[in-house]
């Protein structure tokens, strides 16, 4: 007989009566525990504190985060286990809602009203598909991709009816492992037998990652002709077109997708960004307004949505609207220094644009005060600091502007985009020659430290190399390359000389610093995997 023994369940609905109804339906199947929540923030907090095997979530949560936002935030934070079920429940059936709910790929969605028999039948089917995936999730958490694939093969033999779903899981694991050639082979093998959109998507993404952009474009375009509602194909086709240099066509594809499914924040943000780069103010304004509206309650909201819109509004001579937009941004990011800093710089730019110099300086001073919090709050982005440096140079505050600019360059000496912006800011301030010299000196200084330390490490002088890297990382906590080099030297030392608590703590710190800059950096991920194995072996008795 079907049962829910040993399973923890979370019911999320803003109506207590609905939560109680679901609870009654489930209790006779003997679950380990059934918890409930009436709003999105509380639900996320509960998921942070406890692992849930099944989450039943209403889509429309009133003024709280909606079901789509709860799902995207749970996945973003990694608090939804690989083997957990997330089912969206909804009383709405509008196209926009259905498209949004489907796009984030919950395990299923159920329309109200529903009977106990329907709910249990769905859960039975979904739990069958998830059997054994907890072991896959454990392997992935430790970045043991080969073990995760071996488990999938074993599960496929044990549960042959689930073989196709497990092939999809294997494809995703190969992407995580950056084994794109193997992933492409797997998808091609599947497509020789079945015409499955997920296999076409996987093949297109594998081609994209191998920089086979023309092949990827062909796959995504064909898929969209056959399945116009395969929404992630629009996003990947747009990315592919950008990689091919066709930004205008990429914008058109994103617009088409946004028209079909209007409630996806990250797509609206992408559309706004690309429209701005294309100089299409009308589309940028509409997309930015939509992004601002959708950002309420979302884990993916960003200050740039408000500053982009403010910039467009002030260009249209609507400075008061621009200031209102920035005020709304401050209300959304009241506790986030990095965002407040960007908004203050943008406010200064709005006043600049309408020749309110005194107000512009006031806003810039506000930004500078926020930046000084950097010592206490190490979470200010290079982009935000760069904005303050540019504004200082624009207002003739060369001393502070240069100081901040050099700090940004030294912490990002390989970032071509930031270096180009620094050069442009120096040019605009009439400091082209001096600025170029400062930029070159800063880049050379950091490159020399890295080269010197690498030379020491290669000649076997590991302790001296570590000392050099560690000192550099202490001075440049936001320099990804320096932090990764320091971590790599420490890993070499741990491999050579065995476990050392102090070395482990240092290595973890530098990896965390690098992760803050770019968690998707391949070198970071490779070093993090090595460190994870070393740390685990050190913890064993």
């Amino acid at each position: 007989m079907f049962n829910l023994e040993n399973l923890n369940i979370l019911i999320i609905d803003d109506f207590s009566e609905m939560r109680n109804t679901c609870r009654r339906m489930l209790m006779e199947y003997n679950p380990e525990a059934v918890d409930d929540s009436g709003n999105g923030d509380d639900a996320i907090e509960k998921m942070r504190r406890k692992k849930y095997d099944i989450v039943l979530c209403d889509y429309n949560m009133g003024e709280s985060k909606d079901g789509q936002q709860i799902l995207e935030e749970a996945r973003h934070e990694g608090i939804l286990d690989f083997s957990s079920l997330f089912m969206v429940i909804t009383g709405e059936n509008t196209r926009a809602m259905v498209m949004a709910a489907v796009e984030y790929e919950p395990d299923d969605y159920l329309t109200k009203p529903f009977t106990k028999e329907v709910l249990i039948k769905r859960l039975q089917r979904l739990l069958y598909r998830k059997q054994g995936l907890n072991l896959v999730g454990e392997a992935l958490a430790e970045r043991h991709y080969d073990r995760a694939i071996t488990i999938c093969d074993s599960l496929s033999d044990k549960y042959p009816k689930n073989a196709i779903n497990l092939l999809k899981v294997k494809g995703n694991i190969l992407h995580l492992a950056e084994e794109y050639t193997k992933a492409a082979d797997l998808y091609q093998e599947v497509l020789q037998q079945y015409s499955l959109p997920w296999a076409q998507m996987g093949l297109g993404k594998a081609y994209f990652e191998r920089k086979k952009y023309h092949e990827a474009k062909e796959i995504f375009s064909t898929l969209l002709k056959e399945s116009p509602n395969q929404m992630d194909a629009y996003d990947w086709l747009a990315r592919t077109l950008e990689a091919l240099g066709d930004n205008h066509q990429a914008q058109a594809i994103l617009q088409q997708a946004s028209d079909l499914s209007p409630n996806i924040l990250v797509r609206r943000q992408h559309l706004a960004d690309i429209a701005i780069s294309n100089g299409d103010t009308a589309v940028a304004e509409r997309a930015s307004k939509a992004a601002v509206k959708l950002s309420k309650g979302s884990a993916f909201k960003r200050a740039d949505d408000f500053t982009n819109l403010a910039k467009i509004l002030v260009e249209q001579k609507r400075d008061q609207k621009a200031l209102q937009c920035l005020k709304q941004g401050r209300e959304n990011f009241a506790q986030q220094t990095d965002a407040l800093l960007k908004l203050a710089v943008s406010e200064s730019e709005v006043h600049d644009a309408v020749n309110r110099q005194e107000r512009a300086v006031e806003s810039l001073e506000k930004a500078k005060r926020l930046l000084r919090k950097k010592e206490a709050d190490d979470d200010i982005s290079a982009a935000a600091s760069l904005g303050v440096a540019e504004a200082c140079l624009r207002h003739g505050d060369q001393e502070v502007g240069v100081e901040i600019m050099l700090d940004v360059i030294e912490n990002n000496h390989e970032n071509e985009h930031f270096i180009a912006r620094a050069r442009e800011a120096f040019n605009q301030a009439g400091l082209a020659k001096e600025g170029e010299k400062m930029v070159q000196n800063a880049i050379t200084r950091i490159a020399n430290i890295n080269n010197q330390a690498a030379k020491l490490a290669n000649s076997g002088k590991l302790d001296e190399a570590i000392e050099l890297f560690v000192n550099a990382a202490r001075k440049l906590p936001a320099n990804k390359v320096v932090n990764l080099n320091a971590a790599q030297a420490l890993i070499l030392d741990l491999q050579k000389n065995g476990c050392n608590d102090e070395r482990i703590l240092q290595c973890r710190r530098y990896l965390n610093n690098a992760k803050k800059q770019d968690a998707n950096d391949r070198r970071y991920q490779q070093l993090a995997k090595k460190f994870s194995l070393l740390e685990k072996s050190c913890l064993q008795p």
Side-chain angles (χ1 to χ4, degrees):
M1 178 184 170
F2 176 72
N3 66 69
L4 298 167
E5 286 178 1
N6 302 319
L7 298 183
N8 290 308
I9 301 173
L10 177 62
I11 301 167
I12 308 168
D13 198 302
D14 54 336
F15 287 102
S16 59
E17 187 179 337
M18 188 63 196
R19 298 199 299 273
N20 291 333
T21 299
C22 287
R23 179 191 294 274
R24 285 194 295 273
M25 288 180 177
L26 296 167
M27 286 307 290
E28 67 181 86
Y29 295 91
N30 301 316
E32 177 73 18
V34 178
D35 298 332
D36 65 87
S37 177
N39 71 74
D41 288 331
D42 177 66
I44 291 291
E45 189 56 37
K46 280 187 164 64
M47 292 167 76
R48 286 184 186 126
R49 286 190 271 111
K50 184 174 179 179
K51 172 188 173 297
Y52 288 100
D53 304 289
I54 298 172
V55 179
L56 304 179
C57 182
D58 188 30
Y59 180 84
N60 189 343
M61 296 284 292
E63 293 298 312
S64 168
K65 297 175 192 291
D66 63 31
Q68 171 197 322
Q69 290 174 326
I70 293 169
L71 175 57
E72 67 183 13
E73 188 164 341
R75 285 190 173 149
H76 179 64
E77 288 196 22
I79 54 178
L80 190 63
D81 204 70
F82 191 78
S83 57
S84 299
L85 298 180
F86 193 102
M87 184 184 290
V88 172
I89 297 174
T90 178
E92 296 184 46
N93 57 4
T94 62
R95 180 182 176 82
M97 186 288 301
V98 172
M99 294 297 287
V102 171
E103 275 210 58
Y104 279 92
E105 296 186 351
D107 291 288
D108 206 347
Y109 72 95
L110 195 56
T111 305
K112 295 176 185 176
F114 54 85
T115 63
K116 179 182 74 175
E117 287 70 26
V118 168
L119 173 62
I120 297 303
K121 189 175 180 182
R122 293 282 185 96
L123 290 177
Q124 275 183 298
R125 178 170 57 82
L126 294 169
L127 287 170
Y128 178 82
R129 288 176 59 187
K130 294 275 184 174
Q131 286 180 107
L133 289 186
N134 58 322
L135 298 175
V136 175
E138 289 172 10
L140 290 178
E142 296 175 356
R143 296 186 174 88
H144 280 298
Y145 302 120
D146 290 342
R147 179 150 60 90
I149 286 175
T150 301
I151 294 169
C152 280
D153 289 337
S154 173
L155 290 172
S156 187
D157 292 338
K158 190 173 180 181
Y159 307 108
K161 289 182 180 177
N162 202 21
I164 292 295
N165 180 53
L166 288 163
L167 282 173
K168 184 179 179 182
V169 174
K170 276 180 70 174
N172 291 335
I173 295 169
L174 289 169
H175 273 279
L176 288 173
E178 299 178 3
E179 297 275 8
Y180 302 120
T181 301
K182 289 183 181 177
D185 290 344
L186 180 147
Y187 293 125
Q188 283 172 330
E189 192 176 329
V190 171
L191 289 168
Q192 284 175 3
Q193 299 180 62
Y194 313 99
S195 179
L196 295 170
W198 63 259
Q200 289 174 280
M201 275 302 304
L203 182 59
K205 288 194 279 188
Y207 281 143
F208 179 92
E209 298 294 355
R210 293 167 65 192
K211 302 189 188 306
K212 292 188 168 186
Y213 299 127
H214 290 286
E215 289 88 340
K217 178 184 172 185
E218 179 65 26
I219 292 282
F220 295 132
S221 300
T222 301
L223 177 54
L224 285 175
K225 284 178 187 170
E226 296 170 355
S227 307
N229 288 336
Q230 185 74 34
M231 299 309 298
D232 50 349
Y234 290 92
D235 299 310
W236 278 90
L237 178 56
R239 288 183 63 184
T240 305
L241 290 165
E242 283 183 277
L244 289 168
D246 192 349
N247 284 6
H248 288 280
Q249 187 57 27
Q251 178 184 319
I253 291 296
L254 289 171
Q255 182 65 70
Q256 194 179 343
S258 295
D259 292 341
L260 279 169
S261 180
N263 291 345
I264 304 301
L265 172 59
V266 291
R267 183 177 298 129
R268 292 287 193 173
Q269 291 170 333
H270 190 182
L271 178 58
D273 291 345
I274 200 166
I276 288 170
S277 71
N278 286 338
D280 191 337
T281 307
V283 171
E285 181 181 358
R286 286 197 298 274
S288 294
K289 282 181 175 174
V292 165
K293 184 178 178 183
L294 292 169
S295 67
K296 184 181 178 185
S298 172
F300 296 102
K301 65 182 178 184
R302 55 178 198 172
D304 293 16
D305 297 325
F306 295 86
T307 59
N308 283 343
L309 183 54
K311 188 174 183 180
I312 293 166
L313 291 169
V314 80
E315 284 175 358
Q316 297 170 348
K317 311 295 182 192
R318 300 161 68 190
D319 57 296
Q320 292 305 315
K321 284 283 184 187
L323 292 172
Q324 284 176 15
C325 173
L326 294 172
K327 182 183 176 188
Q328 186 184 347
R330 287 195 296 276
E331 290 167 356
N332 272 270
F333 297 96
Q335 304 301 321
Q336 297 181 36
T337 305
D338 185 80
L340 291 172
L341 200 154
K342 288 180 177 177
L343 293 161
V345 170
S346 181
E347 189 178 66
S348 176
E349 290 171 348
V350 170
H351 290 306
D352 267 335
V354 291
N355 296 318
R356 287 195 291 263
Q357 290 303 305
E358 192 175 334
R359 298 288 304 277
V361 171
E362 283 176 15
S363 298
L364 179 55
E365 289 299 322
K366 191 193 310 177
K368 286 154 71 174
R369 284 196 297 277
L370 287 165
L371 187 57
R372 288 189 201 106
K373 291 184 179 178
K374 188 176 182 180
E375 289 184 7
D377 180 0
D378 195 26
D379 199 21
I380 292 178
S381 67
S385 297
L386 187 57
V388 179
E390 290 169 333
C392 286
L393 290 173
R394 199 165 51 246
H395 281 266
D397 188 350
Q398 289 187 11
E399 184 179 350
V400 175
V402 167
E403 181 187 351
I404 298 170
M405 192 66 84
L406 289 180
D407 182 69
V408 171
I409 295 169
E410 288 186 344
N411 275 292
N412 301 273
H413 71 289
E414 290 189 342
N415 189 313
E416 294 179 3
H417 174 66
F418 287 157
I419 300 298
R421 277 182 61 177
R423 286 186 170 123
E424 178 61 23
F426 282 130
N427 287 342
Q428 294 290 330
L431 298 169
K433 192 173 177 182
E434 302 93 320
E436 182 59 29
K437 190 175 179 182
M438 286 188 277
V439 168
Q440 286 301 332
N441 285 344
I443 294 172
T444 303
R445 194 160 49 246
I446 306 307
N448 285 343
I449 292 171
N450 280 323
N451 291 338
Q452 188 184 349
K455 196 173 176 182
L456 286 168
N458 291 334
S459 63
K461 297 176 181 176
L462 209 47
D463 284 340
E464 293 176 52
I466 288 173
E467 186 178 355
L468 203 55
F469 277 136
V470 166
N471 284 335
R474 190 179 299 124
K475 293 174 186 171
L476 303 166
N479 189 306
K480 181 179 70 178
V481 177
V482 167
N483 278 283
L484 288 176
N485 285 343
Q488 185 172 18
L490 288 161
I491 287 171
L492 284 172
D493 183 80
L494 288 165
Q495 289 173 329
K496 182 180 177 184
N497 299 315
C499 301
N500 178 306
D501 290 345
E502 186 181 348
R503 294 285 202 231
I504 287 175
L505 284 173
Q506 284 179 306
C507 192
R508 189 185 298 138
R509 183 190 315 139
Y510 299 131
L511 284 172
N512 285 337
N513 285 348
K515 185 181 180 182
K516 281 184 186 175
Q517 306 310 313
D518 184 2
N520 295 317
D521 182 274
R522 289 185 182 183
R523 190 173 168 225
Y524 158 72
Q525 292 185 346
Q526 289 167 353
L527 289 174
K529 181 180 177 182
K530 280 186 184 177
F531 176 69
S532 173
L533 294 173
L534 270 171
E535 190 179 30
K536 193 173 180 182
S537 68
C538 286
L539 289 173
Q540 287 177 348

